[in-house]
Amino acid sequence: MVPRVILGGGIVKGMIETARNFVGSYTDASRLTTVEYPEQRIPLHANARQFPFLVFDGTDPMAGLRCVACQICEKECPPQCIYIIKDSVKKPDYLGKMQMQPKVFDIDLSVCMSCQICVEVCPFDAIKMDTEFELSNDDRFAGLLVNKHQLAKPNSHFARIHPAEAAEVDGRLAAEKAKAEAKARADAEAKAKAAATSPPPAGNPSSSPPPKS
Amino acid sequence: MEPLKGLLSTLWKALTDQPDPKAPFLESIPEDYRSLASAVLSVAPILMVFPLLFALTTVLERKGLGRIQNRLGPNRVGPAGFLQFAADGLKTLTKEDVVPRAADRVVHFLAPIALVIPVLLTFAVLPFGRNLAPIDLDAGLLFFFAVSSATELAVFMAGWASRNKYSLLGALRAVAQMVSYEIPLVLAALSVVMITGTLSLSAIAAAQSPTPGSFLAPWYVFTPWGLMGFLLFMIAACAEANRSPFDLPEGESEIIAGYYLEYSGFKFALFFLGEYLGLFASSGLAITLFLGGWNAPFAFMQGWLPSWVWFFAKLATLIAVFIWIRGTLPRVRMDQLMGLAWKFMIPMTLLTLVAAGLWHRLPSAPLRWVACTALLAGAFLVLGRVLMPRTRHGRRVYRYAD
Ligand code: SF4
Ligand code: SF4
């Protein structure tokens, strides 16, 4: 609108533009995109990730921990911030199989780079990324080393922060469990049939286990 | 009790435009102290008002720039963020004052002081209201320019004493820029002196008082030469104050912070203060010379408000424009800066002097309007054409990054 041939025309044009911005920031709410963070919060992205946590099923965090202390994540973690010691006592997993469990499972918060590789490599869906980002701490040594009690969070938390991913994991685990149960039942039935056709010698009744319910 | 009553009466007289406001207080104290008290009465308000204005300006500037960029700006300290300056001031006061080992300690220490003192001295001759000129010098304008050019020395002291190449580069740039723009600044002011025939700033302000019966006040900015002079003066003042878009001496992206790179803590704050006070002083001078000083814009408004209110309203407006410009224009290059000063500003200010002369000599109103406007507008167009780069920029080609 201001002819370009006049010296200063561009300046006037720019001044009009900034004046429009200035007035617009008062009249047009869509221009002011600032989120005043501690008071105002916006919902996090579906794929937001910050720091890993350990998923547990049921109500008891330590008994329900899915982690089997296989140490794959410890080996794969690029900055080597996971530290695991296996326990000598085993505990049953969600399929009822006896599995190892971690005695110590620490992650160094100050070293973790939120790469999610531990999550990708875990074959047991035991470690997932949390979205919690207000992780500051006033103890820069012990406070930044997060142990397994602090890391353990229920599956419902996972379902809340990453609904889609949690639904997929839950479905898969449920299918696996159903398959394992079906297999166990089929095995039991086969065994029972075999027992019916050729009855076992007396005095050895334990060779056919009772079918699992 | 007497002096307190005198002080209150003095304050009242000053705020309500009455002549000789200092008298009640001076009469209430012993004879021997009067000259000292008179000086304190002149200095104290300047020392209180303008640093406070500086503090407020820093907050408003950040808020305004924020809004120009669709941000909120500072809004945490105090109501709506207006106490931000207190937090900033405390921060600079409590910060460690680092002096480089290689620096010339004495000069390094003196430079910020040598910057602020001349700037404060310039306020002495500005008439803030009808009877509110701290010193009514006959050669006030001369005093103003003489004192304000001392800041160049302070800037160079800072750059040289820091023993840092960026500081020195910044100082060299600053001196080159300030010396170049001093000329159009003085020449633009000279046109007013040609018309009024006086160097006294109070007299210049009084000459722009509206005559009873007229409508528009005879501010010089309402004449062709005055408008051009005002614009040129403001551009030069902007460059003198190292304000954006002429903030090359402190260009962060190239020489970090220029001449005050090696300053921290309160010395840095003093540089900051000096720069803003310089801006206020030259805006105040522009108001006095071109915008009618403490006069109201229309004859019928004269007397509605105390005269100093008009002055400060104009000052606030000019500061707002400076902030607006800072939010709009990017920094110019050194060659553009010098080109503007020597190829455009100086010829234009010289022609403004010619136009002011014409205005003074030509008798009839329409003729001098036409003649002055034609002269200045023509010169502006021609010089603008000459100054604007005629090179046509072709398509940008990427020779190596294909
Ligand atoms: S979190 Fe997963 S990968 Fe890591 S030790 Fe436990 S089960 Fe193995
Ligand atoms: S997110 Fe990456 S860095 Fe952090 S613990 Fe997992 S693998 Fe290690």
Side-chain angles (χ1 to χ4, degrees):
Chain A
M1 74 200 100
V2 185
R4 283 227 32 189
V5 287
I6 293 182
L7 183 70
I11 295 178
V12 174
K13 214 164 124 192
M15 303 270 289
I16 293 171
E17 190 59 38
T18 43
R20 202 177 287 143
N21 264 2
F22 182 82
V23 177
S25 73
Y26 285 100
T27 55
D28 180 2
S30 68
R31 276 174 177 273
L32 269 187
T33 49
T34 309
V35 178
E36 295 199 65
Y37 156 63
E39 296 94 30
Q40 285 174 16
R41 279 152 197 276
I42 41 176
L44 290 166
H45 271 282
N47 290 337
R49 65 174 195 227
Q50 196 61 40
F51 187 66
F53 71 101
L54 294 173
V55 188
F56 70 83
D57 298 303
T59 47
D60 180 1
M62 287 307 112
L65 223 49
R66 286 184 190 166
C67 175
V68 299
C70 68
Q71 292 182 309
I72 294 178
C73 54
E74 185 184 26
K75 293 200 180 69
E76 293 288 339
C77 171
Q80 294 283 295
C81 64
I82 304 179
Y83 177 70
I84 300 171
I85 295 180
K86 288 184 182 176
D87 204 345
S88 46
V89 195
K90 295 193 174 187
K91 72 169 176 59
D93 69 355
Y94 66 106
L95 295 176
K97 248 199 295 189
M98 292 311 273
Q99 292 279 22
M100 295 292 246
Q101 57 171 325
K103 188 173 178 191
V104 174
F105 196 117
D106 290 342
I107 305 183
D108 193 331
L109 176 54
S110 58
V111 177
C112 172
M113 59 185 194
S114 309
C115 66
Q116 203 178 343
I117 284 177
C118 48
V119 175
E120 305 298 335
V121 297
C122 176
F124 299 90
D125 288 301
I127 190 164
K128 294 291 172 196
M129 294 307 273
D130 204 347
T131 52
E132 175 64 43
F133 55 90
E134 287 158 322
L135 298 167
S136 59
N137 203 301
D138 54 11
D139 177 0
R140 70 191 172 104
F141 301 107
L144 294 176
L145 194 66
V146 189
N147 63 29
K148 67 171 179 176
H149 298 277
Q150 293 159 301
L151 285 171
K153 284 178 189 161
N155 196 20
S156 56
H157 174 74
F158 182 37
R160 189 170 56 75
I161 58 174
H162 297 307
E165 199 188 340
E168 186 263 325
V169 169
D170 283 352
R172 187 148 42 78
L173 291 186
E176 259 169 43
K177 193 171 177 183
K179 216 165 96 191
E181 278 167 10
K183 189 157 174 278
R185 243 194 324 269
D187 282 356
E189 272 166 24
K191 284 247 173 76
K193 214 182 269 171
T197 47
S198 59
N204 191 10
S206 63
S207 66
S208 76
K212 260 180 156 182
S213 60
Chain B
M1 220 56 280
E2 261 317 285
L4 188 66
K5 240 172 41 201
L7 189 63
L8 285 180
S9 157
T10 290
L11 204 60
W12 176 248
K13 277 183 104 171
L15 291 184
T16 52
D17 272 354
Q18 292 173 43
D20 201 8
K22 280 181 193 169
F25 180 63
L26 294 185
E27 276 155 22
S28 68
I29 57 173
E31 186 86 51
D32 299 349
Y33 300 116
R34 281 194 190 156
S35 59
L36 181 68
S38 169
V40 170
L41 273 186
S42 302
V43 171
I46 294 178
L47 284 184
M48 283 192 284
V49 169
F50 285 94
L52 191 70
L53 193 64
F54 156 68
L56 273 179
T57 308
T58 57
V59 179
L60 285 175
E61 171 155 35
R62 289 164 66 184
K63 277 178 151 328
L65 288 180
R67 288 289 171 168
I68 282 176
Q69 296 157 7
N70 288 333
R71 291 184 290 110
L72 287 168
N75 63 352
R76 294 280 149 167
V77 193
F82 271 101
L83 290 181
Q84 182 68 41
F85 68 85
D88 289 346
L90 279 179
K91 190 189 92 174
T92 50
L93 265 179
T94 50
K95 259 188 152 176
E96 187 186 355
D97 173 30
V98 184
V99 183
R101 196 182 306 152
D104 184 335
R105 300 189 78 89
V106 179
V107 182
H108 187 271
F109 173 78
L110 283 179
I113 303 169
L115 180 77
V116 172
I117 287 179
V119 171
L120 279 172
L121 279 178
T122 54
F123 285 100
V125 289
L126 288 182
F128 302 110
R130 196 187 300 276
N131 300 305
L132 288 181
I135 317 173
D136 192 2
L137 281 185
D138 279 343
L141 191 64
L142 197 62
F143 176 84
F144 189 101
F145 285 129
V147 170
S148 69
S149 41
T151 55
E152 279 150 45
L153 179 66
V155 164
F156 197 73
M157 277 164 75
W160 181 257
S162 297
R163 202 57 92 84
N164 176 316
K165 60 188 170 203
Y166 296 115
S167 298
L168 188 59
L169 266 178
L172 288 174
R173 281 184 181 190
V175 170
Q177 169 176 340
M178 287 166 131
V179 168
S180 303
Y181 279 87
E182 198 102 316
I183 304 164
L185 190 78
V186 174
L187 286 180
L190 216 56
S191 54
V192 175
V193 177
M194 277 176 66
I195 296 294
T196 49
T198 171
L199 283 169
S200 155
L201 289 175
S202 305
I204 290 175
Q208 299 175 71
S209 305
T211 42
S214 63
F215 177 65
L216 199 64
W219 296 2
Y220 293 134
V221 74
F222 298 144
T223 59
W225 61 270
L227 180 64
M228 185 52 76
F230 174 66
L231 291 178
L232 294 169
F233 187 92
M234 290 313 279
I235 296 172
C238 200
E240 279 289 297
N242 296 337
R243 285 269 317 176
S244 161
F246 303 113
D247 54 352
L248 287 110
E250 57 203 74
E252 306 86 358
S253 48
E254 25 197 280
I255 50 171
I256 313 163
Y259 54 88
Y260 53 65
L261 166 60
E262 294 290 7
Y263 283 89
S264 53
F266 208 65
K267 287 189 201 156
F268 174 77
L270 278 183
F271 271 107
F272 214 46
L273 175 77
E275 217 152 80
Y276 274 82
L277 288 185
L279 185 74
F280 298 158
S282 36
S283 301
L285 187 64
I287 290 168
T288 309
L289 291 178
F290 296 101
L291 295 181
W294 37 262
N295 287 301
F298 299 105
F300 63 90
M301 280 183 179
Q302 194 84 334
W304 281 9
L305 291 169
S307 55
W308 55 271
V309 175
W310 288 115
F311 182 88
F312 281 99
K314 290 171 197 175
L315 186 59
T317 315
L318 285 188
I319 292 170
V321 172
F322 274 122
I323 294 174
W324 185 10
I325 288 174
R326 181 171 171 195
T328 307
L329 300 179
R331 185 180 303 135
V332 297
R333 259 187 351 243
M334 197 67 199
D335 59 326
Q336 294 169 332
L337 177 91
M338 287 297 157
L340 183 69
W342 294 97
K343 290 199 256 170
F344 180 75
M345 299 279 290
I346 292 178
M348 260 338 266
T349 41
L350 287 172
L351 279 171
T352 311
L353 284 184
V354 174
L358 272 181
W359 183 268
H360 191 60
R361 284 285 162 220
L362 288 179
S364 67
L367 182 62
R368 60 186 192 177
W369 269 93
V370 171
C372 286
T373 313
L375 175 66
L376 290 174
F380 184 83
L381 287 178
V382 171
L383 275 178
R385 273 298 177 88
V386 172
L387 197 67
M388 297 252 278
R390 266 161 299 175
T391 46
R392 291 253 170 273
H393 294 293
R395 268 178 75 85
R396 175 176 281 196
V397 280
Y398 296 94
R399 243 172 301 169
Y400 303 112
D402 216 2

